[in-house]
Amino acid sequence: GQQVMQIPQYQHVQEGEDFTTYCNSSTTLSNIQWYKQRPGGHPVFLIQLVKSGEVKKQKRLTFQFGEAKKNSSLHITATQTTDVGTYFCAGLDVGGNNRKLIWGLGTSLAVNP
Amino acid sequence: SAVISQKPSRDICQRGTSLTIQCQVDSQVTMMFWYRQQPGQSLTLIATANQGSEATYESGFVIDKFPISRPNLTFSTLTVSNMSPEDSSIYLCSVELAGDYEQYFGPGTRLTVT
């Protein structure tokens, strides 16, 4: 079945450094979504990418969707302590009776002040 | 977006008992999902609950163990039956709003089975 791999599993940075997490799918994705989960919290939707080669920005966060719609990345410029949490990518699977998200394992980001 | 509440927020239960988790949404939604998440791990989809049809379960999850109700477009319940310590986890419900594919999550129910 469809799988979404995400690396790295953990990343520890100094405040002000950049951070990137990468997602790779075994198959072409209809779209890819990114979520952030703060420690003790629930996943919160960040963004959805639909088009091949799409790039979207949210302040210090830049999201990219690969040309083949099989990979994606989230880049954070100049990390802050508020960026701490686990970032998940999730690919939309429209096969079968119901559409569902295929979740990556997540990248846990720690930021040293 | 949508506001989603879950009850209970946490519970400690004895093995062999059952717990029903409620999920309430502040707007009508077609698709609701139930997930399980172990601390520090990713989300595992248990089932998709659409109003007016039976829930669709993912591989490894069965209706006898995790019965789901979806009586209307704003409410769903997940029951964890005949619990064992392996069922200790965080259970999350989420919804997909019409026209969008993104999901919005409830705060979760932290279940501990002793």
Side-chain angles (χ1 to χ4, degrees), chain A residues 31 33 35 37 40-45 48 88 92 97-101 103-106, chain B residues 31 33 35 37 41-43 45 48 50 56 58 92 96 100-107:
Chain A
N31 74 34
Q33 302 175 22
Y35 292 78
Q37 186 173 25
H42 57 275
V44 174
F45 172 77
Q48 177 174 255
F88 292 99
L92 183 65
N97 295 328
N98 287 306
R99 58 180 174 270
K100 60 186 178 183
L101 292 176
W103 293 79
L105 294 181
Chain B
M31 298 189 74
F33 305 88
Y35 290 89
Q37 185 180 32
Q41 296 191 17
S42 187
L43 286 78
L45 181 63
T48 301
N50 292 338
T56 303
E58 296 300 307
L92 294 151
E96 184 190 276
D100 284 326
Y101 298 123
E102 62 235 45
Q103 293 186 16
Y104 296 90
F105 285 81

Side-chain angles (χ1 to χ4, degrees), chain B:
Chain B
S1 64
V3 177
I4 303 148
S5 60
Q6 277 186 243
K7 286 190 215 180
S9 59
R10 59 177 62 224
D11 207 341
I12 301 173
C13 302
Q14 292 195 343
R15 68 173 68 211
T17 62
S18 298
L19 176 72
T20 295
I21 302 168
Q22 298 179 7
C23 181
Q24 179 77 52
V25 192
D26 68 341
S27 57
Q28 294 186 337
V29 296
T30 302
M31 298 189 74
M32 294 182 77
F33 305 88
W34 286 99
Y35 290 89
R36 187 166 73 181
Q37 185 180 32
Q38 301 284 1
Q41 296 191 17
S42 187
L43 286 78
T44 300
L45 181 63
I46 298 171
T48 301
N50 292 338
Q51 195 270 338
S53 62
E54 294 207 357
T56 303
Y57 289 83
E58 296 300 307
S59 176
F61 297 96
V62 294
I63 188 171
D64 289 346
K65 174 68 176 177
F66 297 99
I68 287 171
S69 79
R70 182 78 202 274
N72 57 51
L73 290 173
T74 63
F75 186 78
S76 178
T77 66
L78 169 75
T79 299
V80 187
S81 304
N82 189 23
M83 288 184 286
S84 67
E86 292 71 37
D87 295 319
S88 297
S89 189
I90 297 169
Y91 291 84
L92 294 151
C93 72
S94 74
V95 305
E96 184 190 276
L97 301 181
D100 284 326
Y101 298 123
E102 62 235 45
Q103 293 186 16
Y104 296 90
F105 285 81
T109 296
R110 182 180 293 269
L111 170 62
T112 303
V113 184
T114 60

Side-chain angles (χ1 to χ4, degrees), chain A residues 20-41:
Chain A
T20 306
T21 172
Y22 301 91
C23 251
N24 267 306
S25 169
S26 55
T27 59
T28 301
L29 298 168
S30 300
N31 74 34
I32 194 155
Q33 302 175 22
W34 286 90
Y35 292 78
K36 177 183 179 181
Q37 186 173 25
R38 286 198 162 97

